[in-house]
């Protein structure tokens, strides 16, 4: 019998406890042994099926030699960071879905895990139950990864889907998402692109092998997105999606950002709707592959954590690690792409600034796509225009 | 330095040799050691960059203690089976993209590999460069897998895409696919659904843990598909795709088949076009996840083989194995689904046989969808009708 602990009994922690109980047959078949939840670390005791496993004393868990793996479901950095570190120091594997902690301190924690000969695994931190990090780092290991991008946040994708389908304004769509439990009471981290930003940092760390600091990554959410642009794009055959994107640059430099993009409706990622997520990885041998599914939710996220627990117990630590060196991170405005602009002005104004453009609409305001230019160039050329909206086009 | 061999220098074998050379920096970074191609087994010597590594003597490879991994790129069963077995017996890991061999003899070869403490890996056998088998067996290990289905053959998907887009007849679309190198001179295994059938067998073996014999799996291709049905489906908002499908049934029974399906155009898998593949896995915790990308081609397939080579060298064999027992395989016509029928007859005839139906078109012939019924029931009810075409609808 193998024993484990859960730290924090919120949505993900509860899901982990449920899956260990409900899918015990599958788990035992794969593991060749039974997996038992022994201890649940909580701040406040409460009634429920795991009441008799609860403790509020971390040292009890830390010093219990029978516990081989701890699943950190606390969230945030402070306590989560300390307990993770102490579990690793104590020779226990740690598994988590905590994207903030991995994005900010993952490099240090992985190094500590390696020193101690244990695993620190976090498949659930990106894409919930969708397998992404293992396929990226293992199945695509023979590729040079050139780009990763995706719809990384279900809340904002749900809001965008409502805006397209029902013509709802952002604030109304957000209220609907909150009513359905898809958005938190405080939706800041989601709608401002911070949640997607942490995930694209983790993807960039693993894809390119060097630290990308969240603080260096420009994160634009959907709070300033206008329903007018959603409708214009839609009529022209494009969907607007919030993408996190990380790109390899010449000389092993790299960049990453989060921003809304126009996506041609014929691309598979344009059909990713509601709370679904999708991540596209471009390797120099494999080309583009896409991973798609529910990016959040109790059971999907928890099942990814339990799979990581099983990997801790069956696989050798594989030296999953990236270099601390964060240099060589460049401004994403150096990237070339087509841009969407909506200006208060005429087609003549647009053409004077950008030369030939593709017009989407003209009625006092003019909406158009530029040719591929760097973001810096686009901003410079648009400096004399009265810009009402601007966005990248995924190409 | 780690040394490997390639057996067979066709498309995949050449790709493996190229990737080991071209992506050596990535491979060395992950492996912590250099990977060198030492020996290439061929039937006939020929000029080229690997001329000096060639041998036509298998025993030379078999008895070379420096070779730790062999990539079998021979194809088919006869020689591929014998050499794989002898490599495993000699304590060498074996990696392959050979779906026929894995579908027919995989269970036996995995057992032998386990006895010898080596790996037998075949990620590239399904979906080419798209990571599917590892995510299914590892990342989703905490799930009970209830269903797997997908567009598993790029040649037929290319043909179907041409029929939809340009209104080409099957034979013309096939000729175009051959001209572009997407279809073999003898396209039988592709267009008759045999290639997709081997892949759905491997997916079913891994998903459900017990052998599914290819001979027991009904495989219907696209040779009998009429352009008329493609157009009717298209107008009604459906795409026709050739799907392989494997479903868990009550009491640990299971079924699998290959057949064309109608798919509502709003589903992401309906946008999978040209030579692209996609596999959907439904787990009881994760829900549906989809893996998408190029399902074939020299470099994608070869990069999946090289990733497997790297796994052989870094991970413990994980007891990847399914039971030989092939019992409990049931007729896929027992599954319930909506059916598409086109009959020579009126809506009255359709309603007399099926009760309420959803009419697609009526002009002498009548095309309609039934409610969800078992395939056996659908066939029985349609027995008195003059059926011109029938197909399942993906629900």
């Amino acid at each position: 019998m193998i024993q484990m602990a859960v730290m924090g009994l919120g949505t993900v922690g509860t899901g982990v406890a449920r899956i260990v109980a409900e899918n015990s047959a599958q788990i035992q078949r794969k593991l060749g042994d039974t997996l038992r939840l022994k201890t649940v670390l909580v701040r406040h005791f409460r009634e429920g099926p795991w009441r008799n496993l609860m403790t509020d004393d971390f040292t009890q868990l830390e010093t219990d030699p029978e516990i081989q793996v701890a699943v950190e479901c606390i969230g945030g950095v402070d306590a989560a960071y300390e307990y993770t570190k102490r579990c690793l120091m104590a020779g226990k594997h740690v598994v988590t879905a905590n994207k903030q902690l991995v994005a900010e301190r993952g490099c240090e924690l992985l190094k500590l895990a390696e020193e101690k000969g244990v695993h620190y695994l976090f498949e659930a931190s990106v894409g919930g139950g969708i397998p992404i990090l293992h396929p990226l780092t293992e199945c695509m290991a023979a590729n040079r990864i050139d780009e990763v991008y995706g719809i990384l946040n279900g809340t904002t994708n749900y809001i965008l889907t409502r805006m397209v389908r029902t013509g709802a304004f952002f604030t109304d769509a957000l209220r609907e998402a909150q009513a359905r439990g898809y958005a938190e009471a405080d939706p800041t981290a989601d709608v401002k692109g911070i949640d997607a930003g942490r995930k694209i940092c983790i993807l960039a760390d693993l894809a390119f092998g060097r630290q990308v600091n969240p603080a260096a990554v420009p994160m634009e959410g959907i709070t300033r997105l206008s329903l007018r642009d959603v409708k214009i794009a839609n009529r022209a055959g494009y969907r607007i999606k919030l993408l996190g994107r990380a790109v390899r640059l010449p000389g092993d430099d790299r960049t990453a950002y989060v921003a809304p993009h126009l996506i041609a409706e014929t691309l598979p990622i344009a059909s990713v709707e509601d709370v679904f997520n999708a991540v596209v990885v471009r390797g120099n041998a494999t080309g583009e592959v896409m991973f798609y599914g529910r990016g959040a939710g109790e059971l999907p996220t928890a099942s990814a954590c339990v799979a990581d627990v099983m990997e801790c117990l069956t696989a050798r630590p594989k030296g999953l690690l990236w270099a601390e060196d964060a240099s060589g991170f460049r401004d994403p405005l150096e990237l070339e792409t087509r841009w969407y602009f909506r200006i208060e002005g005429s087609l003549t104004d647009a053409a004077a600034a950008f030369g030939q453009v593709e017009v989407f609409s003209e009625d006092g305001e003019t909406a158009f796509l530029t040719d591929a230019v760097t973001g810096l160039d686009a901003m410079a050329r648009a400096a004399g225009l009265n810009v009402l909206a601007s966005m990248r086009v995924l190409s």
Side-chain angles (χ1 to χ4, degrees), chain A:
Chain A
M1 186 171 59
I2 294 162
Q3 312 216 55
M4 60 177 280
V6 165
M7 306 192 286
L9 202 60
T11 308
V12 178
T14 307
V16 169
R18 278 184 56 191
I19 286 181
V20 170
E22 287 170 20
N23 284 358
S24 60
Q26 276 71 35
I27 295 170
Q28 182 170 359
R29 184 190 128 211
K30 298 250 180 177
L31 215 50
D33 201 343
T34 55
L35 179 65
R36 183 182 154 237
L37 180 59
K38 183 178 184 189
T39 304
V40 176
L41 180 70
V42 293
R43 257 195 307 197
H44 307 290
F45 291 87
R46 61 175 186 272
E47 291 311 309
W50 299 285
R51 177 63 187 84
N52 61 332
L53 309 180
M54 285 182 191
T55 176
D56 58 0
D57 175 13
F58 172 71
T59 54
Q60 186 189 322
L61 188 164
E62 183 184 25
T63 56
D64 185 341
E66 287 185 348
I67 293 174
Q68 295 184 42
V69 195
V71 185
E72 182 266 295
C73 306
I74 300 167
V77 168
D78 306 331
Y81 172 64
E82 192 199 329
Y83 293 167
T84 298
K85 217 161 110 170
R86 286 169 62 181
C87 281
L88 295 172
M89 298 280 288
K92 299 181 193 312
H93 308 289
V94 179
V95 165
T96 192
N98 184 339
K99 52 216 153 236
Q100 187 183 357
L101 183 58
V102 177
E104 293 182 14
R105 305 290 188 96
C107 188
E108 172 195 344
L109 292 168
L110 281 168
K111 214 166 140 191
L112 177 59
E114 190 176 49
E115 283 165 26
K116 295 291 170 183
V118 292
H119 288 273
Y120 180 52
L121 297 179
F122 39 85
E123 176 64 65
S125 66
V126 178
I130 314 167
I132 296 169
L133 304 185
H134 282 81
L136 169 65
T137 54
E138 294 168 25
C139 305
M140 296 182 72
N143 283 262
R144 184 191 68 227
I145 305 296
D146 291 326
E147 182 172 349
V148 185
Y149 64 89
I151 296 170
L152 299 170
N153 180 272
T155 306
T156 46
N157 203 48
Y158 180 81
I159 292 171
L160 290 171
T161 305
R162 299 311 295 168
M163 289 172 79
V164 169
R165 279 209 207 130
T166 67
F169 286 101
F170 170 74
T171 43
D172 295 329
L174 171 58
R175 252 196 304 274
E176 200 186 323
Q178 286 170 321
R180 300 185 65 152
Y182 294 155
E184 317 257 340
D186 176 4
T188 314
D190 290 323
V191 298
K192 288 203 176 289
I194 299 166
D195 176 78
R198 289 169 180 149
K199 293 171 181 167
I200 199 65
C201 286
I202 297 172
L203 288 166
D205 294 334
L206 292 170
F208 307 139
R210 281 164 73 197
Q211 174 70 17
V212 170
N213 287 327
V217 172
M219 299 173 189
E220 184 189 336
I222 60 169
T223 49
R224 294 183 312 163
L225 191 67
S226 140
L227 185 56
R228 197 161 156 66
D229 296 306
V230 171
K231 286 179 175 169
I232 291 170
N234 218 27
R235 270 201 307 270
Y238 290 82
R239 300 284 168 275
I240 293 180
K241 299 286 182 193
L242 183 67
L243 294 185
R245 190 164 168 242
V247 183
R248 177 187 296 276
L249 299 172
D252 253 359
D253 283 0
R254 64 221 179 283
T255 189
Y257 64 95
V258 178
H261 286 67
L262 270 69
I263 304 180
E265 66 188 4
T266 49
L267 295 176
I269 196 168
S271 322
V272 175
E273 305 217 300
D274 295 321
V275 293
F276 285 85
N277 285 19
V279 176
V280 175
V281 180
R282 183 159 56 85
N284 73 331
T286 304
E288 288 202 346
V289 302
M290 186 173 88
F291 306 93
Y292 164 89
R294 260 171 215 287
E298 178 186 322
L299 291 184
T301 306
S303 77
C305 289
V306 176
D308 272 353
V309 168
M310 295 166 72
E311 184 176 332
C312 289
L313 299 167
T314 53
R316 282 194 297 240
K318 282 176 196 164
L320 180 76
L321 207 55
W322 61 82
E324 261 173 282
D325 175 16
S327 69
F329 186 87
R330 301 253 292 274
D331 184 345
L333 289 177
E334 293 178 26
L335 291 173
E336 272 202 1
T337 179
R338 299 186 77 185
W339 282 79
Y340 165 87
F341 279 93
R342 179 163 54 89
I343 62 170
E344 196 176 287
S346 66
L347 177 55
T348 316
D349 300 327
F354 285 97
Q356 201 177 319
V357 298
E358 183 182 339
V359 186
F360 276 8
S361 69
E362 240 192 307
D363 52 356
E365 297 175 5
T366 303
F368 61 93
L369 295 194
T370 72
D371 283 345
V373 291
T374 68
L376 294 168
D377 193 17
M379 296 306 127
R381 284 167 185 257
L385 299 172
N386 189 355
V387 175
L388 302 171
S390 68
M391 250 176 290
R392 295 169 175 89
V393 182
L394 183 73
S395 51

